[in-house]
Amino acid sequence: MLGVDALNLVVMVAESGMIDSSITEILSRPQFLTAAKSNPNIKPTLKNHILKWRGKVKHKMTKVCETERIQEELALYQEVIHWSEDGFYQKIEEVVVKLEWHSSFYIEASKLVKNNKGLFNPMFPRFFCERWYESLSDAIKKAQLTELKEDKEKLLADLYQRIETLKTMESVSAEGDEAQIGKLWDMASARLTKSNVDIMKLHARFLKKNKGLQEIAAKLGRMANEAQDHDRSQAVAEEVKVVEEKSDFVTDDIVGIQEGDDLSRLLPNETLFLSHPELEVIFYQHLVDKRLMNYRMEGADRKLRKVTAQSRASNNALIEKGPFVICVDASGSMSGFPEQCAKALAYGLMQIALAEERDCYVILFSTQQITYELSKQDGLKEVADFLSYRFHGGTDLEPVLEQSIELMHGDKYKNADLVVLSDFIAPTQSEHIDAMIGDLKQCQNRFHAVCLSKYGNPALMAMFDHTWSYHPSMLGRLTQIR
């Protein structure tokens, strides 16, 4: 009898080349060839996306046998192939009846049994099972093709959408490198409307016009590498280096002529004294007196020496850059120019996070909190929604600080930079909040504040590592407080 494990049958059909053929067809489509030609950095990103899809769809295709109809037929087939010939002839008609309602093999099976009725052919059971196996294989293949076709259509729709969104984003930000394109691709699953693009263009222009905000964003992007590690101290370190020194004993170059007794460096004319017996004594006299004319040689002698230098004793000389958690004050007192500054600065930090492959999480706070995760699948849509939000309500800083601290205790946002954009017209925070922030500072989390009003509470801003003031009434003026 012909035996096969049900899972092996499904995997064998799934690996028959159907998926690879679909991938080849997708990559050869004019839309993707044109996109890759116009932006070479998109090609590896596109291929990586399709390879991830390949793994997912293959897994889904191996699950098609889990439907009730296929499961029942596979179980019956597995039972029949282990029967003896006598058992097969006794029960085959019952098997055909069971196939009637759920198998495409039923009609062929009925004809085979009818044509063989009354004959005891020892080859018939094997032939019957072979035909049944082929029918099962075809049925699974059809089910997998249906699954593949549906998933392929979804993939194509997703790819077209991402390419269209990336093309739209070219008018908003300058073309980036492969890493930035890859991050934009991950965020481009949602369709952007014209109003979405217009609002991003508006804030991109505002950021470009206000150089002070650009300077703050750039400094915040560099802060991770400039963070002080209190456990690091100056220490004397010794290391072995190769040192070159000038030496007359290394024959690299001829630099002149000198008197000496080195026969290996002897000038050819000195050997003329040896050609006549009466002059030979003069040669030996010059040799004893070290007056033979020698080539003067000079070269670099390379030696291993220990070099002592001051160095940091810490193993972690560079602190890894973490995500951004940006808290934006959306109270009514921030409306107008401060609102524009806060949104533009947050947009600038999002671009830095994008270029450096850092996650970016925005929390709008007033009397309630609204969160935007800018690095997720529809992150660009989240950016547009955030930039479109109108500020109103009062300032309540404590709940948003608690939420941010909770985020930074998780694995995803550990080592994060917390940036608060506010007018800081609010009371000083409780000792409880101050203590929690102090604990996170010991874990290399950094806390930054950008004050968009000259009436901000200095005591409230004292809890931050770095504080800047950018006043609406002093356009373009940047003052770093500390």
Side-chain angles (χ1 to χ4, degrees):
M1 292 289 184
L2 181 65
V4 65
D5 179 76
L7 181 59
N8 289 339
L9 173 61
V10 176
V11 171
M12 181 176 62
V13 175
E15 294 180 345
S16 62
M18 293 187 294
I19 302 176
D20 291 335
S21 296
S22 293
I23 290 175
T24 302
E25 189 269 328
I26 289 170
L27 290 174
S28 62
R29 293 202 171 201
Q31 297 93 327
F32 304 130
L33 294 174
T34 303
K37 186 176 181 181
S38 63
N39 190 344
N41 286 333
I42 205 174
K43 190 173 182 180
T45 304
L46 178 63
K47 285 186 175 180
N48 287 337
H49 189 95
I50 292 176
L51 286 176
K52 289 179 182 177
W53 170 80
R54 184 186 189 278
K56 291 177 182 177
V57 77
K58 182 178 177 181
H59 178 73
K60 291 175 74 173
M61 287 171 69
T62 59
K63 296 291 184 181
V64 296
C65 67
E66 294 182 359
T67 62
E68 184 178 355
R69 182 183 69 81
I70 294 179
Q71 282 288 315
E72 289 180 2
E73 187 171 359
L74 281 171
L76 184 59
Y77 171 80
Q78 293 278 64
E79 181 184 350
V80 172
I81 60 175
H82 295 100
W83 287 350
S84 64
E85 291 179 6
D86 291 339
F88 178 86
Y89 279 109
Q90 290 175 8
K91 301 177 182 178
I92 189 59
E93 291 186 359
E94 296 176 13
V95 171
V96 174
V97 172
K98 290 180 181 179
L99 293 174
E100 183 175 1
W101 300 108
H102 57 75
S103 174
S104 59
F105 182 57
Y106 168 71
I107 296 175
E108 185 179 357
S110 300
K111 289 181 179 179
L112 288 174
V113 172
K114 184 178 180 180
N115 293 338
N116 192 68
K117 196 167 186 179
L119 300 175
F120 190 82
N121 183 351
M123 297 300 295
F124 178 70
R126 182 176 183 84
F127 177 72
F128 182 91
C129 289
E130 285 178 349
R131 296 298 300 163
W132 193 0
Y133 174 84
E134 291 175 8
S135 175
L136 273 170
S137 180
D138 288 342
I140 291 172
K141 186 174 183 179
K142 286 178 182 177
Q144 290 184 336
L145 280 170
T146 301
E147 183 69 44
L148 178 61
K149 185 178 179 181
E150 291 176 357
D151 256 73
K152 180 181 168 184
E153 292 302 318
K154 292 177 184 177
L155 172 69
L156 286 171
D158 184 39
L159 293 178
Y160 292 148
Q161 176 59 61
R162 290 176 189 271
I163 289 174
E164 181 184 342
T165 302
L166 283 185
K167 189 175 180 181
T168 303
M169 285 298 294
E170 288 175 3
S171 62
V172 178
S173 58
E175 182 179 343
D177 56 15
E178 183 178 330
Q180 185 166 346
I181 289 295
K183 196 68 175 177
L184 268 176
W185 179 272
D186 291 340
M187 297 164 58
S189 65
R191 181 182 296 274
L192 294 180
T193 65
K194 185 179 183 300
S195 61
N196 292 150
V197 177
D198 288 343
I199 195 73
M200 283 192 273
K201 284 183 179 179
L202 177 67
H203 289 88
R205 286 196 298 267
F206 185 87
L207 181 64
K208 188 175 181 180
K209 182 179 178 181
N210 289 270
K211 301 295 183 183
L213 293 176
Q214 290 184 49
E215 186 179 340
I216 295 175
K219 285 187 176 181
L220 283 167
R222 293 192 300 267
M223 279 296 176
N225 282 347
E226 296 174 359
Q228 295 294 319
D229 186 349
H230 301 294
D231 295 330
R232 295 168 63 194
S233 58
Q234 292 283 349
V236 176
E238 285 189 342
E239 57 179 319
V240 177
K241 289 186 176 180
V242 176
V243 179
E244 289 190 356
E245 295 179 348
K246 294 291 184 181
S247 173
D248 293 338
F249 300 101
V250 180
T251 58
D252 287 344
D253 299 298
I254 299 173
V255 295
I257 298 173
Q258 63 184 7
E259 291 183 343
D261 61 348
D262 191 343
L263 297 178
S264 65
R265 302 184 183 184
L266 195 66
L267 264 66
N269 61 336
E270 290 289 318
T271 60
L272 292 174
F273 290 107
L274 297 174
S275 61
H276 297 88
E278 51 269 18
L279 298 176
E280 188 175 350
V281 65
I282 298 175
F283 177 86
Y284 291 120
Q285 182 63 44
H286 287 175
L287 177 63
V288 172
D289 294 340
K290 297 185 178 180
R291 292 172 52 199
L292 290 173
M293 301 304 293
N294 286 173
Y295 288 113
R296 183 183 172 192
M297 314 294 287
E298 189 175 88
D301 187 15
R302 296 168 178 82
K303 297 179 180 179
L304 289 174
R305 288 195 174 180
K306 286 185 178 181
V307 178
T308 303
Q310 294 287 336
S311 63
R312 293 285 186 182
S314 173
N315 292 328
N316 301 318
L318 185 65
I319 301 172
E320 181 185 359
K321 292 183 179 181
F324 278 121
V325 177
I326 306 171
C327 301
V328 181
D329 184 354
S331 62
S333 60
M334 285 281 290
S335 61
F337 189 80
E339 176 181 340
Q340 289 179 296
C341 290
K343 288 179 176 179
L345 185 52
Y347 183 74
L349 291 174
M350 184 274 289
Q351 289 185 311
I352 291 172
L354 190 69
E356 298 178 355
E357 296 190 87
R358 303 167 71 176
D359 287 323
C360 190
Y361 194 88
V362 171
I363 307 174
L364 279 175
F365 69 93
S366 56
T367 50
Q368 59 180 358
Q369 290 85 46
I370 302 173
T371 60
Y372 300 93
E373 191 171 355
L374 305 187
S375 49
K376 65 179 186 178
Q377 286 287 309
D378 57 348
L380 291 177
K381 184 67 168 60
E382 293 272 284
V383 173
D385 290 345
F386 156 63
L387 295 176
S388 302
Y389 185 84
R390 293 297 175 191
F391 288 6
H392 61 277
T395 302
D396 195 356
L397 187 57
E398 185 165 332
V400 76
L401 288 176
E402 289 179 340
Q403 183 179 350
S404 302
I405 290 168
E406 185 179 348
L407 268 177
M408 288 188 285
H409 276 113
D411 290 336
K412 186 173 181 180
Y413 291 96
K414 66 179 181 180
N415 192 31
D417 282 82
L418 175 70
V419 183
V420 179
L421 312 178
S422 173
D423 54 17
F424 289 95
I425 303 174
T428 306
Q429 297 302 294
S430 65
E431 292 182 1
H432 172 63
I433 293 291
D434 201 32
M436 288 194 294
I437 289 177
D439 291 341
L440 280 173
K441 286 180 180 179
Q442 299 301 316
C443 301
Q444 307 305 339
N445 290 96
R446 294 159 294 279
F447 292 79
H448 316 279
V450 180
C451 181
L452 299 170
S453 168
K454 52 186 178 178
Y455 304 109
N457 182 351
L460 175 58
M461 292 182 281
M463 71 174 71
F464 295 92
D465 295 313
H466 305 91
T467 306
W468 288 271
S469 181
Y470 193 79
H471 298 154
S473 60
M474 303 166 66
L475 297 179
R477 181 177 175 184
L478 170 67
T479 305
Q480 181 163 356
I481 295 177
R482 59 184 177 85

